[in-house]
Amino acid sequence: MPTVTDLLTANLIDVFGNRDAVTRRAAIERIYTEDVVFTDPEGAVHGWDALEAKAGGLLAEVPPTFVFAEDGKRYASADTGADTGALGWTFGPAGGEPAARGIDIITVRDGRIAALHTIFAA
């Protein structure tokens, strides 16, 4: 079973940083619960299909040189059966100044991400 920190990285790289639709979908089905809830400043979406549309739509709107990168430490805690983790990230041209920064906060249920909340740097 993957750890919370494994899932943080898989979320960032294998899903939101993955431009290949086939492997991105496989990663979504592997690391998220079917009823996953993704929330960002635009609102909340539910389920694999909506999450896939969100990730694919984001990548379709930016230049192909844009990549996600971890920004700082990974954080994880386990309490009363719900595992929570957080990871800062940057997004922009590879090797260049980031166009965006943020943090992902996940809640894990039964070894998969059940909730993902993304906050952007002010």
Side-chain angles (χ1 to χ4, degrees), residues 24-115:
R24 182 175 56 240
R25 179 59 185 222
I28 287 170
E29 292 182 15
R30 184 180 71 249
I31 68 171
Y32 301 96
T33 61
E34 278 190 76
D35 62 346
V36 63
V37 177
F38 170 68
T39 307
D40 69 3
E42 296 176 349
V45 298
H46 304 263
W48 289 343
D49 292 343
L51 183 71
E52 182 176 10
K54 195 76 165 163
L58 169 70
L59 293 170
E61 294 176 0
V62 297
T65 57
F66 273 42
V67 296
F68 279 98
E70 291 188 24
D71 188 29
K73 296 181 179 183
R74 299 178 206 170
Y75 298 89
S77 68
D79 58 358
T80 62
D83 294 323
T84 304
L87 174 66
W89 49 262
T90 61
F91 186 57
E97 187 65 27
R101 291 181 184 275
I103 188 168
D104 288 335
I105 304 164
I106 63 171
T107 302
V108 177
R109 183 178 73 230
D110 298 328
R112 294 169 137 187
I113 299 171

Coordinates of all heavy atoms in Angstrom, one line a residue, residues 24-115:
R24 N -2.2 8.9 -17.6 CA -2.8 9.7 -16.5 C -4.0 9.1 -16.0 O -4.3 9.0 -14.8 CB -3.1 11.1 -17.1 CG -3.7 12.1 -16.0 CD -3.9 13.5 -16.5 NE -4.7 13.5 -17.7 CZ -4.3 14.0 -18.9 NH1 -3.1 14.5 -19.1 NH2 -5.1 14.0 -19.9
R25 N -4.9 8.5 -16.9 CA -6.1 7.9 -16.4 C -5.8 6.7 -15.6 O -6.4 6.4 -14.5 CB -7.0 7.5 -17.6 CG -8.3 6.8 -17.2 CD -9.1 7.6 -16.3 NE -10.3 6.9 -15.9 CZ -11.5 7.5 -15.8 NH1 -11.7 8.7 -16.1 NH2 -12.5 6.8 -15.3
A26 N -4.8 5.9 -16.0 CA -4.4 4.7 -15.2 C -3.9 5.1 -13.8 O -4.3 4.5 -12.8 CB -3.3 3.9 -15.9
A27 N -3.2 6.2 -13.7 CA -2.7 6.7 -12.4 C -3.9 7.2 -11.6 O -4.0 6.9 -10.4 CB -1.7 7.9 -12.6
I28 N -4.9 7.9 -12.2 CA -6.1 8.3 -11.5 C -6.8 7.1 -10.8 O -7.2 7.2 -9.6 CB -7.0 9.1 -12.4 CG1 -6.4 10.5 -12.7 CG2 -8.4 9.2 -11.8 CD1 -7.1 11.2 -13.8
E29 N -7.0 6.1 -11.6 CA -7.7 4.9 -11.1 C -6.9 4.2 -10.0 O -7.5 3.5 -9.1 CB -8.1 4.0 -12.2 CG -9.1 4.6 -13.1 CD -9.6 3.7 -14.3 OE1 -9.3 2.5 -14.2 OE2 -10.2 4.3 -15.2
R30 N -5.6 4.3 -10.1 CA -4.7 3.6 -9.1 C -4.6 4.4 -7.8 O -4.6 3.8 -6.7 CB -3.3 3.5 -9.7 CG -2.3 2.7 -8.8 CD -1.0 2.6 -9.5 NE -0.3 3.9 -9.5 CZ 0.0 4.6 -10.6 NH1 -0.3 4.2 -11.8 NH2 0.7 5.7 -10.5
I31 N -4.6 5.7 -7.8 CA -4.3 6.5 -6.6 C -5.5 7.2 -5.9 O -5.3 7.6 -4.8 CB -3.1 7.4 -6.8 CG1 -3.5 8.6 -7.7 CG2 -1.9 6.7 -7.3 CD1 -2.4 9.7 -7.8
Y32 N -6.6 7.3 -6.6 CA -7.8 8.0 -6.0 C -8.9 7.1 -5.8 O -9.1 6.1 -6.6 CB -8.3 9.1 -6.9 CG -7.2 10.2 -7.3 CD1 -6.5 10.1 -8.4 CD2 -7.0 11.3 -6.4 CE1 -5.6 11.1 -8.8 CE2 -6.1 12.2 -6.8 CZ -5.3 12.1 -7.9 OH -4.4 13.1 -8.2
T33 N -9.7 7.4 -4.8 CA -11.0 6.6 -4.6 C -11.9 7.1 -5.8 O -11.8 8.2 -6.3 CB -11.7 6.9 -3.3 OG1 -11.9 8.3 -3.2 CG2 -10.8 6.5 -2.1
E34 N -12.9 6.2 -6.1 CA -13.8 6.6 -7.2 C -14.6 7.8 -6.9 O -15.0 8.6 -7.8 CB -14.8 5.4 -7.5 CG -14.2 4.4 -8.4 CD -15.3 3.4 -8.8 OE1 -16.1 3.7 -9.7 OE2 -15.3 2.3 -8.3
D35 N -14.9 8.1 -5.6 CA -15.7 9.2 -5.2 C -14.8 10.4 -4.8 O -15.2 11.3 -4.0 CB -16.6 8.8 -4.1 CG -15.9 8.4 -2.8 OD1 -14.7 8.1 -2.9 OD2 -16.6 8.3 -1.7
V36 N -13.6 10.5 -5.2 CA -12.6 11.5 -4.9 C -13.3 12.9 -5.1 O -14.1 13.1 -6.0 CB -11.3 11.5 -5.7 CG1 -11.5 11.6 -7.2 CG2 -10.3 12.5 -5.2
V37 N -13.0 13.8 -4.2 CA -13.4 15.2 -4.3 C -12.2 16.1 -4.4 O -11.3 16.1 -3.5 CB -14.2 15.6 -3.0 CG1 -14.6 17.1 -3.1 CG2 -15.5 14.8 -2.9
F38 N -12.1 16.9 -5.5 CA -11.0 17.8 -5.7 C -11.6 19.2 -5.6 O -12.5 19.5 -6.3 CB -10.4 17.6 -7.1 CG -9.4 18.6 -7.5 CD1 -8.2 18.8 -6.8 CD2 -9.7 19.5 -8.5 CE1 -7.3 19.8 -7.2 CE2 -8.8 20.5 -8.9 CZ -7.6 20.7 -8.2
T39 N -10.9 20.0 -4.8 CA -11.4 21.4 -4.5 C -10.2 22.3 -4.8 O -9.1 22.1 -4.3 CB -11.8 21.5 -3.1 OG1 -12.8 20.6 -2.8 CG2 -12.4 22.9 -2.9
D40 N -10.5 23.4 -5.6 CA -9.5 24.4 -5.8 C -10.3 25.7 -5.8 O -11.5 25.7 -5.6 CB -8.7 24.2 -7.0 CG -9.4 24.3 -8.3 OD1 -10.6 24.7 -8.3 OD2 -8.8 24.1 -9.4
P41 N -9.6 26.9 -6.0 CA -10.4 28.1 -6.0 C -11.5 28.2 -7.0 O -12.4 29.1 -6.8 CB -9.3 29.2 -6.3 CG -8.0 28.6 -5.8 CD -8.2 27.1 -6.1
E42 N -11.5 27.4 -8.0 CA -12.6 27.4 -9.0 C -13.8 26.6 -8.5 O -14.9 26.7 -9.2 CB -12.1 26.8 -10.3 CG -11.1 27.7 -11.0 CD -10.5 27.1 -12.3 OE1 -10.8 25.9 -12.5 OE2 -9.8 27.8 -13.0
G43 N -13.7 25.8 -7.5 CA -14.8 25.0 -7.0 C -14.4 23.6 -6.7 O -13.2 23.3 -6.7
A44 N -15.4 22.7 -6.6 CA -15.2 21.3 -6.3 C -15.7 20.4 -7.5 O -16.7 20.8 -8.1 CB -15.8 20.9 -5.0
V45 N -15.0 19.4 -7.7 CA -15.4 18.4 -8.7 C -15.3 17.0 -8.0 O -14.6 16.8 -7.1 CB -14.6 18.4 -10.0 CG1 -14.7 19.7 -10.7 CG2 -13.1 18.0 -9.8
H46 N -16.1 16.1 -8.5 CA -16.3 14.8 -7.9 C -16.0 13.6 -8.9 O -16.6 13.7 -10.0 CB -17.7 14.6 -7.3 CG -18.0 15.7 -6.3 ND1 -17.9 15.5 -5.0 CD2 -18.5 16.9 -6.5 CE1 -18.3 16.7 -4.4 NE2 -18.7 17.5 -5.3
G47 N -15.2 12.7 -8.5 CA -15.0 11.5 -9.3 C -13.9 11.5 -10.2 O -13.3 12.5 -10.5
W48 N -13.5 10.3 -10.7 CA -12.4 10.1 -11.6 C -12.5 11.0 -12.9 O -11.6 11.6 -13.3 CB -12.2 8.7 -12.0 CG -11.7 7.8 -10.9 CD1 -11.1 8.1 -9.7 CD2 -11.8 6.3 -10.9 NE1 -10.8 7.0 -9.0 CE2 -11.2 5.9 -9.7 CE3 -12.3 5.4 -11.8 CZ2 -11.1 4.5 -9.4 CZ3 -12.2 4.1 -11.5 CH2 -11.6 3.6 -10.3
D49 N -13.7 10.9 -13.5 CA -13.8 11.6 -14.8 C -13.6 13.1 -14.7 O -13.0 13.8 -15.5 CB -15.2 11.4 -15.4 CG -15.3 9.9 -15.9 OD1 -14.3 9.2 -16.0 OD2 -16.5 9.5 -16.1
A50 N -14.2 13.7 -13.6 CA -14.1 15.1 -13.4 C -12.6 15.5 -13.0 O -12.1 16.5 -13.5 CB -15.0 15.6 -12.3
L51 N -12.0 14.7 -12.3 CA -10.6 14.9 -11.9 C -9.7 14.8 -13.2 O -8.8 15.7 -13.4 CB -10.1 13.9 -10.9 CG -8.7 14.2 -10.4 CD1 -8.6 15.4 -9.5 CD2 -8.2 13.0 -9.6
E52 N -10.0 13.9 -14.0 CA -9.2 13.7 -15.3 C -9.4 14.9 -16.2 O -8.5 15.5 -16.8 CB -9.7 12.5 -16.0 CG -8.9 12.2 -17.3 CD -9.3 10.9 -17.9 OE1 -10.2 10.3 -17.5 OE2 -8.6 10.5 -18.9
A53 N -10.7 15.4 -16.3 CA -10.9 16.6 -17.1 C -10.2 17.8 -16.5 O -9.7 18.7 -17.3 CB -12.4 16.9 -17.1
K54 N -10.1 17.9 -15.2 CA -9.4 19.1 -14.6 C -8.0 19.0 -14.9 O -7.4 20.0 -15.3 CB -9.7 19.0 -13.1 CG -9.4 20.2 -12.3 CD -10.4 21.3 -12.5 CE -10.3 22.3 -11.5 NZ -11.0 23.5 -11.8
A55 N -7.3 17.9 -14.7 CA -5.9 17.8 -15.0 C -5.6 17.9 -16.5 O -4.6 18.7 -16.8 CB -5.4 16.4 -14.5
G56 N -6.3 17.3 -17.3 CA -6.1 17.4 -18.7 C -6.3 18.8 -19.3 O -5.6 19.3 -20.1
G57 N -7.4 19.4 -18.8 CA -7.7 20.8 -19.2 C -6.6 21.8 -18.8 O -6.3 22.7 -19.6
L58 N -6.1 21.6 -17.6 CA -5.0 22.5 -17.1 C -3.8 22.4 -18.0 O -3.2 23.4 -18.5 CB -4.6 22.1 -15.7 CG -3.3 22.8 -15.2 CD1 -3.5 24.3 -15.0 CD2 -2.9 22.1 -13.9
L59 N -3.4 21.1 -18.3 CA -2.2 20.9 -19.1 C -2.4 21.4 -20.6 O -1.4 21.8 -21.2 CB -1.8 19.5 -19.1 CG -1.3 19.0 -17.7 CD1 -1.1 17.5 -17.6 CD2 0.0 19.7 -17.3
A60 N -3.6 21.3 -21.1 CA -3.9 21.7 -22.4 C -3.8 23.3 -22.6 O -3.6 23.8 -23.7 CB -5.3 21.3 -22.9
E61 N -3.9 24.0 -21.5 CA -3.9 25.5 -21.6 C -2.6 26.1 -21.4 O -2.5 27.3 -21.5 CB -4.9 26.0 -20.5 CG -6.3 25.7 -20.7 CD -7.2 26.1 -19.5 OE1 -6.7 26.7 -18.5 OE2 -8.4 25.9 -19.6
V62 N -1.5 25.3 -21.2 CA -0.2 25.9 -20.9 C 0.8 25.3 -21.9 O 0.6 24.3 -22.5 CB 0.3 25.6 -19.5 CG1 -0.6 26.2 -18.4 CG2 0.4 24.1 -19.2
P63 N 1.9 26.0 -22.1 CA 2.9 25.6 -23.0 C 3.5 24.2 -22.6 O 3.5 23.8 -21.4 CB 4.1 26.6 -22.9 CG 3.4 27.8 -22.4 CD 2.3 27.3 -21.5
P64 N 3.9 23.4 -23.6 CA 4.4 22.1 -23.3 C 5.7 22.0 -22.4 O 6.0 21.0 -21.8 CB 4.7 21.4 -24.7 CG 4.8 22.6 -25.6 CD 4.0 23.7 -25.0
T65 N 6.3 23.2 -22.2 CA 7.5 23.3 -21.4 C 7.2 23.4 -19.9 O 8.1 23.3 -19.1 CB 8.4 24.5 -21.8 OG1 7.6 25.7 -21.7 CG2 8.9 24.3 -23.2
F66 N 5.9 23.7 -19.6 CA 5.5 23.8 -18.2 C 5.5 22.5 -17.5 O 4.9 21.5 -18.0 CB 4.1 24.5 -18.1 CG 4.1 26.0 -18.1 CD1 5.0 26.7 -19.0 CD2 3.3 26.7 -17.3 CE1 5.0 28.0 -19.0 CE2 3.3 28.0 -17.3 CZ 4.1 28.7 -18.1
V67 N 6.1 22.4 -16.3 CA 6.1 21.2 -15.5 C 5.8 21.6 -14.0 O 6.0 22.7 -13.6 CB 7.5 20.5 -15.6 CG1 7.8 20.0 -17.0 CG2 8.6 21.4 -15.1
F68 N 5.3 20.6 -13.3 CA 5.2 20.7 -11.9 C 6.5 20.2 -11.2 O 7.1 19.3 -11.7 CB 4.0 19.8 -11.4 CG 2.7 20.5 -11.5 CD1 1.9 20.1 -12.6 CD2 2.2 21.4 -10.6 CE1 0.6 20.7 -12.8 CE2 0.9 21.9 -10.8 CZ 0.2 21.6 -11.9
A69 N 6.8 20.8 -10.1 CA 8.0 20.4 -9.3 C 7.6 20.5 -7.8 O 6.9 21.4 -7.4 CB 9.2 21.2 -9.6
E70 N 8.1 19.6 -7.0 CA 7.9 19.7 -5.6 C 8.6 20.9 -5.1 O 9.7 21.3 -5.6 CB 8.4 18.4 -4.9 CG 7.6 17.2 -5.2 CD 8.0 16.0 -4.3 OE1 8.6 16.2 -3.2 OE2 7.7 14.9 -4.8
D71 N 8.1 21.6 -4.1 CA 8.6 22.8 -3.5 C 8.7 22.7 -2.0 O 7.7 23.1 -1.3 CB 7.8 24.0 -4.0 CG 8.4 25.4 -3.6 OD1 9.7 25.4 -3.5 OD2 7.7 26.3 -3.4
G72 N 9.7 22.1 -1.5 CA 9.9 22.0 -0.1 C 9.6 20.5 0.4 O 9.5 19.6 -0.4
K73 N 9.4 20.4 1.7 CA 9.2 19.1 2.3 C 7.8 18.6 2.1 O 6.8 19.4 1.8 CB 9.4 19.2 3.8 CG 10.8 19.6 4.1 CD 11.0 19.6 5.7 CE 12.4 20.0 6.0 NZ 12.7 20.0 7.4
R74 N 7.6 17.3 2.2 CA 6.3 16.6 2.2 C 5.9 16.5 3.7 O 6.8 16.3 4.6 CB 6.4 15.2 1.6 CG 6.8 15.2 0.2 CD 6.9 13.8 -0.3 NE 7.9 13.7 -1.4 CZ 8.3 12.5 -1.8 NH1 7.9 11.4 -1.3 NH2 9.1 12.5 -2.8
Y75 N 4.6 16.7 4.0 CA 4.1 16.6 5.3 C 3.1 15.5 5.4 O 2.3 15.4 4.5 CB 3.5 17.9 5.8 CG 4.5 19.0 5.8 CD1 4.8 19.8 4.7 CD2 5.3 19.3 7.0 CE1 5.7 20.8 4.7 CE2 6.2 20.3 7.0 CZ 6.4 21.1 5.9 OH 7.4 22.1 5.9
A76 N 3.1 14.7 6.5 CA 2.1 13.6 6.6 C 1.8 13.4 8.1 O 2.7 13.5 8.9 CB 2.7 12.3 6.0
S77 N 0.6 13.1 8.4 CA 0.1 12.7 9.7 C -1.0 11.7 9.6 O -1.7 11.7 8.6 CB -0.4 13.9 10.5 OG -1.6 14.4 10.0
A78 N -1.0 10.9 10.6 CA -2.1 9.8 10.7 C -2.9 10.0 12.0 O -2.2 10.1 13.0 CB -1.5 8.5 10.6
D79 N -4.2 10.1 11.8 CA -5.0 10.2 13.1 C -6.3 9.6 12.8 O -6.9 9.8 11.8 CB -5.1 11.7 13.5 CG -5.7 12.6 12.4 OD1 -6.0 12.1 11.3 OD2 -5.9 13.8 12.7
T80 N -6.8 8.9 13.8 CA -8.1 8.3 13.8 C -8.5 7.7 12.5 O -9.7 7.8 12.0 CB -9.2 9.2 14.3 OG1 -9.3 10.3 13.4 CG2 -8.9 9.7 15.7
G81 N -7.6 7.0 11.8 CA -7.9 6.3 10.6 C -7.9 7.1 9.3 O -8.0 6.6 8.2
A82 N -7.8 8.4 9.4 CA -7.7 9.3 8.2 C -6.3 9.8 8.1 O -5.9 10.6 9.0 CB -8.7 10.4 8.3
D83 N -5.6 9.5 7.1 CA -4.3 10.0 6.8 C -4.3 11.3 6.0 O -5.1 11.4 5.1 CB -3.4 9.0 6.1 CG -3.2 7.7 6.8 OD1 -3.0 7.8 8.1 OD2 -3.2 6.6 6.2
T84 N -3.5 12.3 6.5 CA -3.5 13.6 5.8 C -2.1 13.9 5.4 O -1.2 13.6 6.2 CB -4.1 14.7 6.7 OG1 -5.4 14.3 7.1 CG2 -4.1 16.0 6.0
G85 N -1.9 14.6 4.3 CA -0.6 15.0 3.9 C -0.7 16.3 3.1 O -1.7 16.7 2.6
A86 N 0.5 17.0 3.0 CA 0.5 18.2 2.3 C 1.9 18.3 1.5 O 2.9 17.8 2.0 CB 0.4 19.4 3.2
L87 N 1.9 19.0 0.4 CA 3.0 19.1 -0.4 C 3.0 20.5 -1.2 O 2.0 20.7 -1.9 CB 3.2 18.0 -1.4 CG 4.3 18.1 -2.5 CD1 5.6 18.0 -1.8 CD2 4.1 17.0 -3.5
G88 N 4.0 21.3 -1.1 CA 4.1 22.5 -1.8 C 4.6 22.2 -3.2 O 5.4 21.2 -3.4
W89 N 4.2 23.0 -4.2 CA 4.7 22.8 -5.6 C 4.8 24.1 -6.3 O 4.3 25.1 -5.9 CB 3.7 21.9 -6.3 CG 2.2 22.3 -6.2 CD1 1.3 21.8 -5.4 CD2 1.6 23.3 -6.9 NE1 0.1 22.4 -5.5 CE2 0.2 23.4 -6.5 CE3 2.0 24.2 -7.9 CZ2 -0.7 24.3 -7.0 CZ3 1.0 25.1 -8.4 CH2 -0.3 25.1 -8.0
T90 N 5.6 24.0 -7.4 CA 5.7 25.1 -8.4 C 5.2 24.6 -9.7 O 5.2 23.4 -10.0 CB 7.1 25.6 -8.5 OG1 8.0 24.6 -8.9 CG2 7.6 26.2 -7.2
F91 N 4.8 25.5 -10.6 CA 4.4 25.2 -11.9 C 4.9 26.2 -12.9 O 4.6 27.4 -12.7 CB 2.9 25.0 -12.0 CG 2.3 24.5 -13.3 CD1 2.7 23.3 -13.8 CD2 1.3 25.3 -14.0 CE1 2.1 22.9 -15.0 CE2 0.8 24.8 -15.1 CZ 1.2 23.6 -15.7
G92 N 5.6 25.8 -13.9 CA 6.1 26.8 -14.9 C 7.1 26.1 -15.8 O 7.2 24.9 -15.8
P93 N 7.8 27.0 -16.6 CA 8.8 26.4 -17.5 C 9.9 25.6 -16.8 O 10.4 26.1 -15.8 CB 9.3 27.6 -18.3 CG 8.8 28.8 -17.6 CD 7.8 28.4 -16.6
A94 N 10.2 24.5 -17.3 CA 11.3 23.7 -16.7 C 12.6 24.5 -16.6 O 13.0 25.1 -17.6 CB 11.6 22.4 -17.6
G95 N 13.1 24.6 -15.4 CA 14.3 25.3 -15.1 C 14.1 26.8 -15.1 O 15.1 27.6 -14.8
G96 N 12.9 27.3 -15.2 CA 12.7 28.8 -15.2 C 11.9 29.2 -14.0 O 11.6 28.4 -13.1
E97 N 11.5 30.5 -14.0 CA 10.8 31.0 -12.9 C 9.3 30.5 -12.9 O 8.7 30.5 -13.9 CB 10.7 32.6 -13.1 CG 10.1 33.3 -11.9 CD 10.9 33.2 -10.6 OE1 12.1 33.0 -10.6 OE2 10.2 33.3 -9.5
P98 N 8.8 30.0 -11.8 CA 7.5 29.4 -11.7 C 6.4 30.5 -12.1 O 6.5 31.6 -11.7 CB 7.3 29.0 -10.3 CG 8.7 28.9 -9.7 CD 9.5 29.9 -10.5
A99 N 5.4 30.0 -12.8 CA 4.3 30.9 -13.1 C 3.3 30.8 -12.0 O 2.4 31.7 -11.8 CB 3.6 30.4 -14.4
A100 N 3.3 29.7 -11.2 CA 2.4 29.5 -10.1 C 3.0 28.7 -9.0 O 3.9 27.9 -9.2 CB 1.1 28.9 -10.5
R101 N 2.6 28.9 -7.8 CA 3.0 28.1 -6.6 C 1.7 27.8 -5.8 O 0.8 28.5 -5.8 CB 3.9 28.9 -5.7 CG 5.3 29.2 -6.2 CD 6.1 30.0 -5.2 NE 7.4 30.4 -5.7 CZ 8.4 29.6 -5.7 NH1 8.4 28.4 -5.2 NH2 9.6 30.0 -6.3
G102 N 1.8 26.6 -5.2 CA 0.7 26.2 -4.4 C 1.0 25.1 -3.4 O 2.2 24.7 -3.3
I103 N 0.0 24.6 -2.8 CA 0.1 23.5 -1.9 C -1.1 22.6 -2.1 O -2.2 23.0 -2.3 CB 0.2 23.9 -0.4 CG1 0.5 22.7 0.5 CG2 -1.0 24.7 0.1 CD1 0.9 23.1 1.9
D104 N -0.8 21.3 -2.1 CA -1.9 20.3 -2.2 C -2.0 19.6 -0.8 O -1.0 19.3 -0.2 CB -1.5 19.2 -3.2 CG -1.6 19.6 -4.6 OD1 -2.4 20.6 -4.9 OD2 -1.0 19.0 -5.5
I105 N -3.2 19.5 -0.4 CA -3.5 18.8 0.9 C -4.4 17.6 0.6 O -5.5 17.8 -0.1 CB -4.2 19.7 1.9 CG1 -3.4 21.0 2.1 CG2 -4.5 19.0 3.2 CD1 -4.1 22.1 2.8
I106 N -4.0 16.4 1.0 CA -4.8 15.2 0.7 C -5.3 14.5 1.9 O -4.6 14.6 3.0 CB -4.0 14.2 -0.2 CG1 -2.7 13.7 0.6 CG2 -3.6 14.9 -1.5 CD1 -2.0 12.5 -0.1
T107 N -6.4 13.9 1.8 CA -6.9 13.0 2.8 C -7.0 11.6 2.2 O -7.5 11.4 1.0 CB -8.3 13.4 3.3 OG1 -8.2 14.7 3.8 CG2 -8.8 12.4 4.4
V108 N -6.4 10.6 2.8 CA -6.3 9.3 2.3 C -7.2 8.3 3.0 O -7.3 8.4 4.3 CB -4.8 8.8 2.4 CG1 -4.7 7.3 1.9 CG2 -3.9 9.7 1.6
R109 N -7.9 7.5 2.2 CA -8.8 6.5 2.8 C -8.5 5.2 2.1 O -8.5 5.1 0.9 CB -10.3 6.9 2.6 CG -11.3 5.9 3.2 CD -12.7 6.4 2.9 NE -13.1 6.2 1.5 CZ -13.6 7.1 0.7 NH1 -13.9 8.3 1.2 NH2 -13.9 6.8 -0.5
D110 N -8.2 4.2 2.9 CA -7.9 2.8 2.4 C -6.8 2.8 1.4 O -6.9 2.2 0.3 CB -9.2 2.2 1.8 CG -10.3 2.0 2.9 OD1 -10.0 1.8 4.0 OD2 -11.5 2.1 2.5
G111 N -5.8 3.6 1.6 CA -4.6 3.6 0.7 C -4.8 4.4 -0.6 O -3.9 4.3 -1.4
R112 N -5.8 5.2 -0.7 CA -6.1 6.0 -1.9 C -6.5 7.4 -1.5 O -7.1 7.6 -0.4 CB -7.2 5.4 -2.8 CG -6.8 4.1 -3.3 CD -8.0 3.5 -4.0 NE -7.6 2.9 -5.3 CZ -8.5 2.4 -6.1 NH1 -9.8 2.4 -5.8 NH2 -8.1 1.9 -7.2
I113 N -6.3 8.4 -2.3 CA -6.7 9.8 -2.1 C -8.2 9.9 -2.2 O -8.7 9.6 -3.3 CB -6.0 10.8 -3.0 CG1 -4.4 10.7 -2.8 CG2 -6.5 12.2 -2.8 CD1 -3.6 11.5 -3.9
A114 N -8.8 10.3 -1.1 CA -10.3 10.5 -1.1 C -10.6 12.0 -1.3 O -11.7 12.3 -1.8 CB -10.9 10.0 0.1
A115 N -9.7 12.9 -0.9 CA -10.0 14.3 -1.0 C -8.7 15.0 -1.3 O -7.6 14.7 -0.7 CB -10.6 14.9 0.3

